[in-house]
Amino acid sequence: MSEPITLNVGGKLYTTSLSTLTSFPDSMLGAMFSGKIPTKKDSQGNCFIDRDGKIFRYILNFLRTSHLDLPEDFQEMGLLRREVDFYQIQPLIEALQEKEVELSKAEKNAMLNITLDQKTQTVHFTVREAPQIYSLSSSNMEVFSAHIFSTSCLFLKLLGSKLYYCFNGNLSSISSYLQDPNHLTLDWVASVEGLPEEEYTKQNLKRLWVVPDNKQINSFQVFVEEVLKIAMSDGFCIDSSHPHTSDFMNNKIIRLIRYSTDFEVHRNWLAITHNLPLSQWYYEATSEWTLDYPPFFAWFEYALSHVAKYFDPQMLVIENLNYTSHATIFFQRLSVICTDILFIYAVHECCKCVNGKRAAKDILEKPTFILAVLLLWNFGLLIVDRLKCNFLDHTKIPKASMTGGLVQEFQHTVLPSVTPLATLICTLIAILPSVFCLWFKPQGPRGFLQCLVLCALSSFMFGWHVHEKAILLAILPLSLLSIQRAKDAGIYLILTTTGHFSLFPLLFTPPGVHRQILLTTVGWFVGYYLTKRTEYMYAKVDRELLEYVRLHPEDFKTAEKKRIGELLEDFYPVR
């Protein structure tokens, strides 16, 4: 092991080894301690680096362990990023980028829980009536307590910048009363008429004020109103399951949440496609919600952007992150509704192309009705519509256990890391057999649909950046096949059950869990019944046909058998 080296980084001393400092030769430290760049010495002969000494501990620990470990309440990410850029340790730069994405998601996915308590307390105090005359008095005082828990440390800091204790004639931020980065307990009293100011200090009674409005909080209703203003300005919304909105102000336990819809995602995509040339669509990164959908969808956003400018041009400004207005919300919801109407019309036209018993008395025997139900009652489309139309609360998505919203590349520790080229090769290998069969042995519309389903599944399984919703690209065309053949109906039931289950992370609130289980169960049973009904219908037709053939053999005479020599023409060799 090499000799220890003492570093003076911004006045803080660190002791490490030469091998640790040169573990990444292409970095600034690697160049400094390999002799490529001269180093400075302090008065004690230690190597001096004029950078932030406190932050250097995280950089040095990364050199030792190859892991970036930050405390949970770390609040100097910007300073760390500048220091990492200076030292140019490439693996550390990548690790920091991943950490920033992780922290960004954690802050955007947040829950706020407030437990309120109120009691009446009798306070005794003396009132000076004359220079030497005092009288004993008492009065009832309202005492309030609020226990606040939030998964977002930044929100509690925001709350601390708005709420202040008034004590001993001074205002002090409630931030100093944080028990830990996620918990805060507030205790305060309402003002009592006739209670001298010095008595509040003497009896250690604190009052609560809202700054900069200079508004005193003398009731729970005022407290809830003010906290609600601050929380909703930070992207929170009322949890639809607790408490009930009709009894919100009277509840003792209040829960607010931040969760995602695609509001900001699509606003940013509208702005990108509207303002930038095609060559920059997939490289613009002002917002973390970069354009990561296929080109056809990008062109669809481009077309919508030219309509959006007539509603609110400000939504098309790339720098207007998290921009919202009534016109913007109205336009995005209207675009979803219009697209749904177009889909309903497409289903109507598609049903016209289905062969079936149009004159059947039982509507459940009509393939057109079955197909319409399978397409319009598709659970995956209902989830997507819910996400697209829920544009009032436009914060980002909470971190789900199986999903991430950004295009990222991760280096695996044990398994080999997957590259985009590897996924491209796997996808091509998977789709080539079905494409070749379609090209060299075309089987009409049915063969095209089968090829489409196989290609969609191949892309879903092996694609580089795949969203849960991509499974719908296989489920929807398979719906057309399921009403024609029993084998395809069985495959459809398996794919819809597993595919729709994979969409569950998109619905994460408690009422969302109830809805997704209910809709999946109902949709599965409806699909199972209708596909089995289709299978029975075609089996019934087959039985009737076979019975007719058996009863009318004269109409189906057996073809005369011939030998192979009789089938071939005479052969005359050319001389």
Side-chain angles (χ1 to χ4, degrees), residues 263 267 270 308 311-316 323-335 391:
F263 180 88
R267 186 215 62 81
L270 289 170
F311 287 80
D312 187 350
Q314 291 301 313
M315 80 171 81
L316 301 177
Y323 176 80
T324 180
S325 67
H326 293 297
T328 305
I329 296 173
F330 174 74
F331 169 75
Q332 295 218 23
R333 285 179 169 171
L334 181 63
S335 65
F391 281 150

mmCIF file of all heavy atoms in Angstrom, residues 263 267 270 308 311-316 323-335 391:
data_model
loop_
_atom_site.group_PDB
_atom_site.id
_atom_site.type_symbol
_atom_site.label_atom_id
_atom_site.label_comp_id
_atom_site.label_asym_id
_atom_site.label_seq_id
_atom_site.Cartn_x
_atom_site.Cartn_y
_atom_site.Cartn_z
ATOM 1 N N PHE A 263 -49.589 15.983 -17.327
ATOM 2 C CA PHE A 263 -49.834 17.375 -17.716
ATOM 3 C C PHE A 263 -48.550 18.062 -18.179
ATOM 4 O O PHE A 263 -48.459 18.542 -19.308
ATOM 5 C CB PHE A 263 -50.443 18.133 -16.528
ATOM 6 C CG PHE A 263 -50.736 19.574 -16.831
ATOM 7 C CD1 PHE A 263 -51.953 19.940 -17.373
ATOM 8 C CD2 PHE A 263 -49.797 20.558 -16.591
ATOM 9 C CE1 PHE A 263 -52.229 21.258 -17.658
ATOM 10 C CE2 PHE A 263 -50.066 21.888 -16.873
ATOM 11 C CZ PHE A 263 -51.282 22.230 -17.410
ATOM 12 N N ARG A 267 -47.228 19.136 -21.966
ATOM 13 C CA ARG A 267 -47.009 20.568 -22.220
ATOM 14 C C ARG A 267 -45.600 20.795 -22.743
ATOM 15 O O ARG A 267 -45.381 21.560 -23.689
ATOM 16 C CB ARG A 267 -47.215 21.368 -20.932
ATOM 17 C CG ARG A 267 -47.157 22.882 -21.164
ATOM 18 C CD ARG A 267 -46.536 23.599 -20.001
ATOM 19 N NE ARG A 267 -45.169 23.208 -19.778
ATOM 20 C CZ ARG A 267 -44.130 23.689 -20.462
ATOM 21 N NH1 ARG A 267 -44.297 24.552 -21.437
ATOM 22 N NH2 ARG A 267 -42.899 23.272 -20.202
ATOM 23 N N LEU A 270 -45.334 19.537 -26.344
ATOM 24 C CA LEU A 270 -45.947 20.501 -27.259
ATOM 25 C C LEU A 270 -44.982 21.645 -27.543
ATOM 26 O O LEU A 270 -44.823 22.075 -28.691
ATOM 27 C CB LEU A 270 -47.239 21.050 -26.659
ATOM 28 C CG LEU A 270 -48.442 20.103 -26.574
ATOM 29 C CD1 LEU A 270 -49.548 20.739 -25.735
ATOM 30 C CD2 LEU A 270 -48.971 19.764 -27.959
ATOM 31 N N ALA A 308 -52.869 24.404 -30.099
ATOM 32 C CA ALA A 308 -52.714 24.900 -28.730
ATOM 33 C C ALA A 308 -52.391 26.387 -28.680
ATOM 34 O O ALA A 308 -52.761 27.074 -27.727
ATOM 35 C CB ALA A 308 -51.619 24.105 -28.018
ATOM 36 N N PHE A 311 -55.175 28.684 -27.878
ATOM 37 C CA PHE A 311 -55.744 28.637 -26.535
ATOM 38 C C PHE A 311 -54.903 29.439 -25.547
ATOM 39 O O PHE A 311 -55.429 30.254 -24.801
ATOM 40 C CB PHE A 311 -55.861 27.181 -26.063
ATOM 41 C CG PHE A 311 -56.960 26.417 -26.739
ATOM 42 C CD1 PHE A 311 -56.773 25.897 -28.024
ATOM 43 C CD2 PHE A 311 -58.176 26.204 -26.120
ATOM 44 C CE1 PHE A 311 -57.778 25.183 -28.657
ATOM 45 C CE2 PHE A 311 -59.182 25.498 -26.739
ATOM 46 C CZ PHE A 311 -58.989 24.989 -28.015
ATOM 47 N N ASP A 312 -53.593 29.182 -25.521
ATOM 48 C CA ASP A 312 -52.696 29.906 -24.622
ATOM 49 C C ASP A 312 -51.273 29.754 -25.155
ATOM 50 O O ASP A 312 -50.648 28.707 -24.958
ATOM 51 C CB ASP A 312 -52.787 29.356 -23.199
ATOM 52 C CG ASP A 312 -51.988 30.195 -22.210
ATOM 53 O OD1 ASP A 312 -51.232 31.075 -22.659
ATOM 54 O OD2 ASP A 312 -52.115 29.971 -20.989
ATOM 55 N N PRO A 313 -50.734 30.767 -25.818
ATOM 56 C CA PRO A 313 -49.383 30.658 -26.392
ATOM 57 C C PRO A 313 -48.304 30.420 -25.346
ATOM 58 O O PRO A 313 -47.240 29.871 -25.665
ATOM 59 C CB PRO A 313 -49.186 32.013 -27.094
ATOM 60 C CG PRO A 313 -50.560 32.558 -27.293
ATOM 61 C CD PRO A 313 -51.369 32.052 -26.147
ATOM 62 N N GLN A 314 -48.551 30.789 -24.095
ATOM 63 C CA GLN A 314 -47.523 30.644 -23.065
ATOM 64 C C GLN A 314 -47.226 29.177 -22.743
ATOM 65 O O GLN A 314 -46.145 28.862 -22.260
ATOM 66 C CB GLN A 314 -47.963 31.378 -21.792
ATOM 67 C CG GLN A 314 -47.976 32.892 -21.922
ATOM 68 C CD GLN A 314 -46.607 33.438 -22.273
ATOM 69 O OE1 GLN A 314 -45.600 33.074 -21.679
ATOM 70 N NE2 GLN A 314 -46.577 34.316 -23.271
ATOM 71 N N MET A 315 -48.172 28.295 -23.004
ATOM 72 C CA MET A 315 -47.907 26.879 -22.740
ATOM 73 C C MET A 315 -46.866 26.311 -23.701
ATOM 74 O O MET A 315 -46.280 25.252 -23.438
ATOM 75 C CB MET A 315 -49.207 26.065 -22.839
ATOM 76 C CG MET A 315 -49.644 25.725 -24.256
ATOM 77 S SD MET A 315 -51.015 24.566 -24.348
ATOM 78 C CE MET A 315 -52.395 25.637 -24.054
ATOM 79 N N LEU A 316 -46.602 27.009 -24.793
ATOM 80 C CA LEU A 316 -45.652 26.545 -25.796
ATOM 81 C C LEU A 316 -44.263 27.129 -25.594
ATOM 82 O O LEU A 316 -43.394 26.947 -26.447
ATOM 83 C CB LEU A 316 -46.159 26.886 -27.194
ATOM 84 C CG LEU A 316 -47.532 26.299 -27.564
ATOM 85 C CD1 LEU A 316 -47.957 26.767 -28.939
ATOM 86 C CD2 LEU A 316 -47.487 24.772 -27.509
ATOM 87 N N TYR A 323 -45.931 25.145 -16.118
ATOM 88 C CA TYR A 323 -46.889 26.211 -16.430
ATOM 89 C C TYR A 323 -48.299 25.635 -16.476
ATOM 90 O O TYR A 323 -48.550 24.584 -17.052
ATOM 91 C CB TYR A 323 -46.550 26.845 -17.777
ATOM 92 C CG TYR A 323 -47.535 27.893 -18.214
ATOM 93 C CD1 TYR A 323 -47.470 29.180 -17.703
ATOM 94 C CD2 TYR A 323 -48.549 27.598 -19.123
ATOM 95 C CE1 TYR A 323 -48.383 30.166 -18.086
ATOM 96 C CE2 TYR A 323 -49.460 28.557 -19.524
ATOM 97 C CZ TYR A 323 -49.370 29.840 -19.005
ATOM 98 O OH TYR A 323 -50.276 30.797 -19.375
ATOM 99 N N THR A 324 -49.212 26.346 -15.847
ATOM 100 C CA THR A 324 -50.603 25.916 -15.866
ATOM 101 C C THR A 324 -51.512 27.135 -15.941
ATOM 102 O O THR A 324 -51.198 28.188 -15.406
ATOM 103 C CB THR A 324 -50.952 25.089 -14.616
ATOM 104 O OG1 THR A 324 -52.327 24.695 -14.692
ATOM 105 C CG2 THR A 324 -50.731 25.889 -13.350
ATOM 106 N N SER A 325 -52.570 26.980 -16.635
ATOM 107 C CA SER A 325 -53.607 28.004 -16.717
ATOM 108 C C SER A 325 -54.899 27.291 -17.061
ATOM 109 O O SER A 325 -54.902 26.131 -17.478
ATOM 110 C CB SER A 325 -53.262 29.051 -17.790
ATOM 111 O OG SER A 325 -53.294 28.467 -19.081
ATOM 112 N N HIS A 326 -56.000 27.974 -16.866
ATOM 113 C CA HIS A 326 -57.295 27.353 -17.181
ATOM 114 C C HIS A 326 -57.389 26.985 -18.663
ATOM 115 O O HIS A 326 -57.933 25.937 -19.021
ATOM 116 C CB HIS A 326 -58.431 28.301 -16.793
ATOM 117 C CG HIS A 326 -58.552 28.513 -15.312
ATOM 118 N ND1 HIS A 326 -58.860 27.496 -14.446
ATOM 119 C CD2 HIS A 326 -58.390 29.625 -14.548
ATOM 120 C CE1 HIS A 326 -58.905 27.957 -13.212
ATOM 121 N NE2 HIS A 326 -58.621 29.257 -13.245
ATOM 122 N N ALA A 327 -56.835 27.837 -19.522
ATOM 123 C CA ALA A 327 -56.872 27.545 -20.960
ATOM 124 C C ALA A 327 -56.021 26.327 -21.295
ATOM 125 O O ALA A 327 -56.397 25.507 -22.147
ATOM 126 C CB ALA A 327 -56.395 28.767 -21.743
ATOM 127 N N THR A 328 -54.881 26.189 -20.613
ATOM 128 C CA THR A 328 -54.008 25.044 -20.864
ATOM 129 C C THR A 328 -54.677 23.752 -20.425
ATOM 130 O O THR A 328 -54.648 22.740 -21.144
ATOM 131 C CB THR A 328 -52.669 25.230 -20.131
ATOM 132 O OG1 THR A 328 -52.084 26.468 -20.515
ATOM 133 C CG2 THR A 328 -51.717 24.098 -20.461
ATOM 134 N N ILE A 329 -55.257 23.768 -19.235
ATOM 135 C CA ILE A 329 -55.963 22.581 -18.743
ATOM 136 C C ILE A 329 -57.123 22.220 -19.669
ATOM 137 O O ILE A 329 -57.327 21.048 -20.019
ATOM 138 C CB ILE A 329 -56.472 22.824 -17.312
ATOM 139 C CG1 ILE A 329 -55.288 23.017 -16.357
ATOM 140 C CG2 ILE A 329 -57.349 21.668 -16.842
ATOM 141 C CD1 ILE A 329 -55.701 23.428 -14.966
ATOM 142 N N PHE A 330 -57.874 23.233 -20.075
ATOM 143 C CA PHE A 330 -59.012 22.986 -20.957
ATOM 144 C C PHE A 330 -58.560 22.381 -22.277
ATOM 145 O O PHE A 330 -59.163 21.415 -22.781
ATOM 146 C CB PHE A 330 -59.761 24.297 -21.209
ATOM 147 C CG PHE A 330 -60.873 24.174 -22.212
ATOM 148 C CD1 PHE A 330 -62.066 23.549 -21.876
ATOM 149 C CD2 PHE A 330 -60.720 24.658 -23.503
ATOM 150 C CE1 PHE A 330 -63.089 23.423 -22.799
ATOM 151 C CE2 PHE A 330 -61.736 24.536 -24.439
ATOM 152 C CZ PHE A 330 -62.933 23.920 -24.079
ATOM 153 N N PHE A 331 -57.467 22.913 -22.854
ATOM 154 C CA PHE A 331 -57.000 22.387 -24.134
ATOM 155 C C PHE A 331 -56.550 20.939 -24.013
ATOM 156 O O PHE A 331 -56.890 20.101 -24.869
ATOM 157 C CB PHE A 331 -55.848 23.241 -24.666
ATOM 158 C CG PHE A 331 -55.140 22.606 -25.839
ATOM 159 C CD1 PHE A 331 -55.719 22.597 -27.093
ATOM 160 C CD2 PHE A 331 -53.917 21.972 -25.666
ATOM 161 C CE1 PHE A 331 -55.090 21.985 -28.164
ATOM 162 C CE2 PHE A 331 -53.276 21.359 -26.739
ATOM 163 C CZ PHE A 331 -53.872 21.370 -27.979
ATOM 164 N N GLN A 332 -55.780 20.631 -22.975
ATOM 165 C CA GLN A 332 -55.268 19.262 -22.861
ATOM 166 C C GLN A 332 -56.400 18.275 -22.638
ATOM 167 O O GLN A 332 -56.393 17.164 -23.185
ATOM 168 C CB GLN A 332 -54.227 19.200 -21.747
ATOM 169 C CG GLN A 332 -52.987 20.027 -22.051
ATOM 170 C CD GLN A 332 -51.716 19.359 -21.588
ATOM 171 O OE1 GLN A 332 -51.663 18.145 -21.436
ATOM 172 N NE2 GLN A 332 -50.681 20.146 -21.388
ATOM 173 N N ARG A 333 -57.379 18.648 -21.833
ATOM 174 C CA ARG A 333 -58.523 17.751 -21.651
ATOM 175 C C ARG A 333 -59.326 17.622 -22.947
ATOM 176 O O ARG A 333 -59.799 16.534 -23.292
ATOM 177 C CB ARG A 333 -59.415 18.282 -20.532
ATOM 178 C CG ARG A 333 -58.843 18.063 -19.147
ATOM 179 C CD ARG A 333 -59.730 18.611 -18.069
ATOM 180 N NE ARG A 333 -59.303 18.176 -16.752
ATOM 181 C CZ ARG A 333 -59.787 18.643 -15.612
ATOM 182 N NH1 ARG A 333 -60.729 19.575 -15.648
ATOM 183 N NH2 ARG A 333 -59.352 18.199 -14.462
ATOM 184 N N LEU A 334 -59.486 18.728 -23.657
ATOM 185 C CA LEU A 334 -60.229 18.692 -24.914
ATOM 186 C C LEU A 334 -59.526 17.808 -25.933
ATOM 187 O O LEU A 334 -60.186 17.069 -26.685
ATOM 188 C CB LEU A 334 -60.386 20.111 -25.454
ATOM 189 C CG LEU A 334 -61.162 20.257 -26.771
ATOM 190 C CD1 LEU A 334 -62.602 19.796 -26.581
ATOM 191 C CD2 LEU A 334 -61.117 21.687 -27.273
ATOM 192 N N SER A 335 -58.205 17.853 -25.969
ATOM 193 C CA SER A 335 -57.463 17.017 -26.923
ATOM 194 C C SER A 335 -57.661 15.536 -26.624
ATOM 195 O O SER A 335 -57.760 14.709 -27.543
ATOM 196 C CB SER A 335 -55.972 17.371 -26.880
ATOM 197 O OG SER A 335 -55.398 17.047 -25.632
ATOM 198 N N PHE A 391 -55.853 16.426 -15.091
ATOM 199 C CA PHE A 391 -54.837 17.449 -15.313
ATOM 200 C C PHE A 391 -54.884 18.578 -14.285
ATOM 201 O O PHE A 391 -54.142 19.518 -14.395
ATOM 202 C CB PHE A 391 -55.015 18.061 -16.705
ATOM 203 C CG PHE A 391 -54.458 17.219 -17.802
ATOM 204 C CD1 PHE A 391 -55.021 17.253 -19.065
ATOM 205 C CD2 PHE A 391 -53.368 16.408 -17.581
ATOM 206 C CE1 PHE A 391 -54.491 16.503 -20.100
ATOM 207 C CE2 PHE A 391 -52.840 15.654 -18.601
ATOM 208 C CZ PHE A 391 -53.406 15.703 -19.851
#
